[in-house]
Amino acid sequence: MNAFKPPPAIESPCIRLCRLDPVHGLCEGCGRTAAEIGGWLAMSGEQRRAVMADLPRRLSALERRA
């Protein structure tokens, strides 16, 4: 019997609040750039983890501006 295993889900920081900040160019919901959002599925796990590690700093910068 051949048991099909679906590929693991790709973790994403998306919270479905998609609005780009015009000053920083970052999504106000998740902190990613438009290029990172568009290329997320093509990124390696290492690239995604590096972006995700920087998101708290980015979101903090957006909060300070508000």
Side-chain angles (χ1 to χ4, degrees):
M1 181 177 194
N2 186 6
F4 173 74
K5 281 187 164 183
I10 293 177
E11 186 177 2
S12 170
C14 182
I15 62 167
R16 310 269 190 269
L17 172 65
C18 305
R19 184 174 49 227
L20 289 180
D21 176 83
V23 174
H24 293 93
L26 300 173
C27 174
E28 294 176 5
C30 69
R32 293 179 293 171
T33 66
E36 289 167 342
I37 293 167
W40 194 252
L41 294 178
M43 287 182 177
S44 69
E46 183 177 315
Q47 289 170 314
R48 287 190 301 270
R49 285 187 293 277
V51 170
M52 289 182 72
D54 194 37
L55 295 181
R57 180 193 63 78
R58 297 178 187 188
L59 290 169
S60 177
L62 289 176
E63 288 173 6
R64 284 193 304 268
R65 183 177 167 266

